[in-house]
Amino acid sequence: MLALGCALAGDVLLLMPDRFLSGVAAFLLAHLAYLALFKQNLPWFPSRRALAATLLLGVVVYAVVWNGVPPELRLPIGLYVIAIALMAAQAIGRA
């Protein structure tokens, strides 16, 4: 419920132009909550290949969008990309 609630908050916040960073933060929390859920009864990142692949994909995507990201948002967006990559790697390892 925490993950879904944070994702809902992220959606609502992104509807408001002046709340972009708050929306990103809410989605970051949602992804971290999903990461914790996908971890239950498993080791962290049981598939090292999935971890490497998702992190590499995250680096590639971030490199592509880098120039379009305002300097003050580069760190928050970078953290968000890492969280998505880790969540995806844990989900793939769970599968």
Side-chain angles (χ1 to χ4, degrees):
M1 294 307 293
L2 175 65
L4 290 173
C6 288
L8 174 62
D11 281 333
V12 171
L13 289 165
L14 288 179
L15 291 173
M16 299 174 245
D18 61 331
R19 299 283 189 241
F20 179 77
L21 195 54
S22 298
V24 169
F27 275 115
L28 174 64
L29 292 174
H31 292 306
L32 293 176
Y34 280 119
L35 175 61
L37 287 170
F38 294 151
K39 160 63 173 90
Q40 289 181 346
N41 302 316
L42 283 180
W44 284 110
F45 312 112
S47 171
R48 297 298 175 180
R49 287 179 23 190
L51 178 61
T54 59
L55 288 172
L56 178 62
L57 182 60
V59 167
V60 169
V61 169
Y62 193 57
V64 168
V65 302
W66 175 264
N67 288 329
V69 177
E72 66 274 10
L73 294 178
R74 287 182 176 158
L75 178 62
I77 299 299
L79 294 173
Y80 181 75
V81 168
I82 291 168
I84 291 174
L86 294 176
M87 181 196 68
Q90 188 67 32
I92 291 167
R94 180 164 202 85

